[in-house]
Amino acid sequence: AFDLVVSVQLFADGMSRVTSIAEPFVHDGRLGAQDIFTLVPGTRTWQFSGVLPRCNDELGRRGFRLDPAVFS
C-alpha cells in the first residue's frame, strides 16, 4: 500500500482536476501532508516540490522504477 494524498479541485469550466499530490506524515502527534507535485495555477504544468517522496524507495523495491526526470 502507498499512502498518497490527491487533491482535486472543481474548476470554473465544470471539470474536476487533480491539483496536487502529497504524502501524509505525522509529526509531534499532528497529521500533515508534504507536497510532491502541484499544478501551477493558470497553466497545465506540474511543479516538483524538490522533496523526493518516501514511497519512491518502496516502488523501487517492488520493481517499479520511476524515471528520475519526473522529479526535476
Side-chain angles (χ1 to χ4, degrees):
F2 299 104
D3 294 321
L4 292 175
V5 177
V6 178
S7 299
V8 177
Q9 182 177 346
L10 179 63
F11 284 77
D13 64 2
M15 296 294 295
S16 294
R17 294 183 179 88
V18 174
T19 56
S20 73
I21 299 171
E23 280 188 307
F25 67 91
V26 177
H27 179 70
D28 291 336
R30 295 183 151 216
L31 181 62
Q34 173 65 53
D35 285 339
I36 300 171
F37 295 103
T38 55
L39 186 64
V40 178
T43 72
R44 292 185 176 210
T45 61
W46 289 89
Q47 181 176 7
F48 174 55
S49 69
V51 177
L52 189 65
R54 292 183 316 263
C55 68
N56 187 54
D57 293 336
E58 180 62 24
L59 286 169
R61 281 193 292 277
R62 293 181 183 203
F64 186 78
R65 306 233 187 284
L66 292 176
D67 181 351
V70 78
F71 298 115
S72 58

